[in-house]
Amino acid sequence: MTASGTRFEDDMVLVKRRRDPFLILLWIVLVTFALVWIAPVVLIAFTALKSNAEVMATSAFAPPETVAWSNFSGAWARGNFATTFTNSAIITVIKVPLGLIFSAMAAYALARIRLKFGKLLLLFFLFGAMIPFQVMLAPIFTLVNGFGLIDTYPGVILPYLAFGVPYQVFILHGFFKAVPKELSEAALIDGASHVTVFRRIFLPISLPVLAALLILDFVSTWNEFAMALVLLQDRHMWTLPLGLMSFQGQFSTDYGQLNAAIAMTVIPAVLVYMIFQRYFVSGLTSGAVKG
Amino acid sequence: MLNSKVMQSSRTQALLLIGPALVVYATFAIWPMIEVVFLSFQHWNGLDPQREWVGLENYQYILTKDPVFWIALRNTITWTLLAVLFPPTIGLLLALGLNEQLFGRVPMRAIYYLPVIIAPIAVATMWKWMYDPFFGLFNQVLTNIGLQAWIKDWLGDREIALYSMFVAYTWQYVGFSMVLFLAGLQSVDRSLVEAARIDGANRWQSFKHVTLPALRVTIAIVLVLSTISSLKAFDIVYGMTGGGPAQSTQMLALWAFMQSMQIFDFGRGSAISVILLLVTLTIVVPYLRWSQRDEGASE
């Protein structure tokens, strides 16, 4: 997608290797497979833009003849999207930056300050990244209920933070650990505090990693379903995935609107991914996969 | 003198920096894990102020009197085995292919990764509709190409519903393995591969003797992450079948949720959670020890 630069190189290489039958065969297989892979998405997009009569009359992969934008406004109103969209936006916009800041602070301290129990603490965090919260929905409900936070924003944001922090600490710790000593030592000897070194030196250089983590976290927060199902029972507090689930239950035969509802749920996450994707692979590799 | 003062102040700063993450994490992630163990030895409907200790009664009931638990356990094991086998294998093949300098490889990578960012509940909704026995895409296409005999009630047939669901899951998560393998392949020394090819190794040999050994760590990471993410299959089951028809697609995570939050038996629900947690720990703990050992060696 952001490939205009490399595409030229790719072209050149293809010209050079034109006679390698293996690569040509590989290319054909990959393209065919990619078409199959994207077919469901195309299907959703086309159906979301067709009237119900056209859905019934035309083939599934025929582009819409007359574009029925009304599916979107219809689904928006019937599915109460104004409410669920706002709730999702508020929760995500608070949770994602806050979680990244908490994680970066903790990761810096664990990587850069000598602590007696530093290694143990890191292991303690790492442990959380491996435990699926879907296993513990009932005790999470009990806990949040105990705080009186069911059907509130903090009631979902706090558990979201708790389950987002471990993975981010892990990745950022790996990144901070690899930063050369010289970069921070001079400042520390000059009397700067760790907080200053973190803010002025480490935060700026970790921006690519933070961007990669931002994508991952935005997507998983925006899409989260199981915990929201348990913690948000009042439909005025529902997030988009809960709204979509309920829409599917009520209007499953209105195919145009159903697919418009799916599209509206998915589009924000796809947009964020597309905006930040150039950081994605490079940012992740700097910490996640060693070797 | 100065040194100890610096040490002390840096300890305070460390506490300030770690504090927020640690407090939130310990309260909202670690405490529920401890609480679920308590709950599994109690009888509670989620509302009563009183919780009654009942010892092992919940476990006894689940293991001896609850037929759904065994179905859910079997399905979870089947699902996990499939999830460790298929998406990582396909992901590795795609990564190998898309690591070659091919025309359009960047948009192709994006296409394979796209389903990963779609909400699982939206994937469930999409595929449920495509699997619809009357209006769904699959049966329509089969009719159009003259294979009426293959038409099935994809999610309504107890024999195949689990596998139909797994196809949707594979569609969603192949891109995840692919990205991790692509990242891992960046660390494979290209000149080694080329040297092997010049020395007369064919593609398979150079893959087997150069690329594959270099991917060892990545493969371990992908397999562990695939196992864990398969254990938490919840959204897709909830959205596509709700565990039906006749509990034939029930899984442990969903069954624990239903026992607690729908039948209001927190004790039995928690006992199922604890069993699933133990299964997870038997995978996670050895992996953590292995990765720590690796860390120690590289320092």
Side-chain angles (χ1 to χ4, degrees):
Chain A
M1 285 184 173
T2 54
S4 48
T6 50
R7 187 172 295 165
F8 176 69
E9 288 166 35
D10 287 352
D11 279 341
M12 295 307 292
V13 171
L14 194 70
V15 170
K16 256 195 294 186
R17 296 198 188 165
R18 178 156 283 162
R19 276 186 218 116
D20 190 336
F22 177 82
L23 285 184
I24 293 171
L25 188 72
L26 179 70
W27 187 80
I28 292 169
V29 171
L30 284 171
V31 169
T32 317
F33 215 58
L35 289 176
V36 173
W37 227 248
I38 206 174
V41 178
V42 173
L43 177 73
I44 301 303
F46 283 175
T47 312
L49 295 170
K50 286 177 187 174
S51 67
N52 266 339
E54 203 182 324
V55 172
M56 291 306 185
T58 60
S59 139
F61 289 105
E65 280 157 29
T66 48
V67 174
W69 291 111
S70 62
N71 284 337
F72 283 84
S73 50
W76 182 271
R78 281 166 89 183
N80 219 356
F81 269 78
T83 309
T84 58
F85 201 96
T86 315
N87 288 335
S88 278
I90 290 173
I91 290 168
T92 310
V93 165
I94 296 175
K95 191 268 152 177
V96 174
L98 203 60
L100 282 175
I101 292 168
F102 282 9
S103 304
M105 281 163 39
Y108 170 82
L110 289 171
R112 284 314 179 121
I113 305 178
R114 283 185 79 94
L115 291 168
K116 224 178 184 171
F117 301 108
K119 206 150 187 187
L120 211 63
L121 264 177
L122 180 69
L123 210 60
F124 181 60
F125 274 115
L126 189 51
F127 175 70
M130 303 281 160
I131 300 300
F133 64 78
Q134 284 84 346
V135 175
M136 308 183 285
L137 293 173
I140 294 171
F141 168 82
T142 312
L143 179 71
V144 174
N145 196 28
F147 284 117
L149 291 174
I150 296 292
D151 290 331
T152 63
Y153 294 128
V156 273
I157 290 174
L158 287 166
Y160 279 4
L161 283 172
F163 286 96
V165 156
Y167 179 70
Q168 297 178 346
V169 168
F170 171 58
I171 299 286
L172 285 164
H173 174 269
F175 179 79
F176 289 153
K177 194 102 197 170
V179 173
K181 267 207 179 80
E182 294 74 30
L183 211 59
S184 54
E185 232 158 40
L188 284 171
I189 288 167
D190 284 350
S193 69
H194 275 293
V195 178
T196 312
V197 172
F198 167 69
R199 244 188 32 218
R200 294 280 175 76
I201 302 176
F202 280 75
L203 219 46
I205 57 168
S206 61
L207 281 179
V209 190
L210 288 174
L213 289 175
L214 183 127
I215 299 182
L216 283 176
D217 201 35
F218 184 97
V219 168
S220 63
T221 307
W222 189 262
N223 292 344
E224 205 288 322
F225 176 76
M227 232 189 296
L229 179 70
V230 173
L231 299 175
L232 303 172
Q233 319 223 327
D234 178 355
R235 58 164 54 234
H236 297 293
M237 291 303 294
W238 277 1
T239 53
L240 271 176
L242 293 178
L244 179 64
M245 185 67 205
S246 149
F247 191 93
Q248 177 205 298
Q250 291 173 62
F251 311 111
S252 62
T253 49
D254 196 332
Y255 298 118
Q257 288 195 11
L258 177 64
N259 284 287
I262 294 173
M264 287 190 290
T265 308
V266 169
I267 285 169
V270 175
L271 283 181
V272 168
Y273 169 70
M274 275 160 59
I275 294 168
F276 289 96
Q277 70 140 357
R278 62 203 178 96
Y279 298 110
F280 189 57
V281 173
S282 65
L284 276 188
T285 46
S286 59
V289 181
K290 40 182 183 165
Chain B
M1 249 277 289
L2 182 80
N3 212 14
S4 82
K5 214 168 136 196
V6 169
M7 282 299 283
Q8 201 165 22
S9 93
S10 61
R11 239 198 15 239
T12 321
Q13 292 180 50
L15 276 180
L16 278 175
L17 288 167
I18 302 176
L22 189 62
V23 169
V24 175
Y25 169 60
T27 313
F28 288 91
I30 297 298
W31 171 248
M33 207 183 312
I34 299 166
E35 170 104 315
V36 80
V37 179
F38 288 144
L39 282 169
S40 74
F41 296 113
Q42 293 172 334
H43 189 74
W44 191 43
N45 65 4
L47 285 171
D48 272 357
Q50 285 296 324
R51 304 183 186 183
E52 192 192 331
W53 289 88
V54 293
L56 290 169
E57 201 185 289
N58 292 320
Y59 290 95
Q60 208 178 8
Y61 177 88
I62 285 162
L63 296 173
T64 58
K65 294 188 194 122
D66 181 4
V68 180
F69 170 78
W70 293 103
I71 301 175
L73 180 67
R74 206 189 54 210
N75 284 341
T76 305
I77 293 171
T78 310
W79 184 270
T80 303
L81 290 177
L82 291 172
V84 172
L85 196 62
F86 286 101
T89 311
I90 304 172
L92 175 61
L93 291 174
L94 288 175
L96 287 171
L98 293 172
N99 201 40
E100 297 284 338
Q101 306 246 309
L102 294 171
F103 175 71
R105 67 171 176 172
V106 175
M108 278 198 275
R109 285 176 187 177
I111 286 176
Y112 290 120
Y113 193 73
L114 182 65
V116 181
I117 47 180
I118 296 180
I121 202 71
V123 171
T125 309
M126 285 163 70
W127 282 74
K128 191 178 174 186
W129 174 60
M130 294 197 295
Y131 277 139
D132 188 285
F134 304 108
F135 306 107
L137 173 77
F138 286 98
N139 284 351
Q140 252 186 54
V141 169
L142 287 175
T143 311
N144 288 347
I145 59 177
L147 288 172
Q148 276 94 340
W150 291 22
I151 284 181
K152 291 215 162 58
D153 186 358
W154 302 99
L155 293 173
D157 183 337
R158 287 158 67 170
E159 300 295 315
I160 57 167
L162 189 71
Y163 303 100
S164 304
M165 219 156 63
F166 184 75
V167 172
Y169 179 85
T170 305
W171 178 76
Q172 173 152 42
Y173 285 113
V174 155
F176 176 72
S177 303
M178 179 198 73
V179 162
L180 290 179
F181 279 124
L182 274 172
L185 282 171
Q186 305 317 306
S187 68
V188 177
D189 197 340
R190 270 205 99 85
S191 60
L192 273 181
V193 179
E194 269 153 34
R197 295 298 305 278
I198 290 166
D199 285 349
N202 62 28
R203 274 179 208 282
W204 168 245
Q205 285 165 332
S206 73
F207 168 73
K208 199 175 132 197
H209 296 294
V210 180
T211 313
L212 205 55
L215 283 179
R216 214 174 36 100
V217 174
T218 313
I219 291 172
I221 291 172
V222 171
L223 292 185
V224 170
L225 291 181
S226 305
T227 315
I228 291 165
S229 79
S230 78
L231 288 174
K232 50 186 189 187
F234 180 94
D235 304 13
I236 201 161
V237 190
Y238 187 95
M240 278 178 97
T241 64
Q247 309 288 7
S248 62
T249 57
Q250 191 58 264
M251 303 237 207
L252 287 180
L254 181 61
W255 189 228
F257 161 84
M258 285 172 125
Q259 286 280 348
S260 300
M261 305 303 297
Q262 291 179 349
I263 306 173
F264 299 111
D265 194 326
F266 276 62
R268 285 178 195 164
S270 299
I272 299 167
S273 294
V274 169
I275 293 171
L276 189 50
L277 213 52
L278 288 176
V279 175
T280 314
L281 289 183
T282 58
I283 301 160
V284 167
V285 172
Y287 170 72
L288 282 184
R289 293 182 68 170
W290 172 79
S291 69
Q292 284 313 104
R293 192 208 62 199
D294 211 55
E295 184 113 306
S298 68
E299 264 168 19

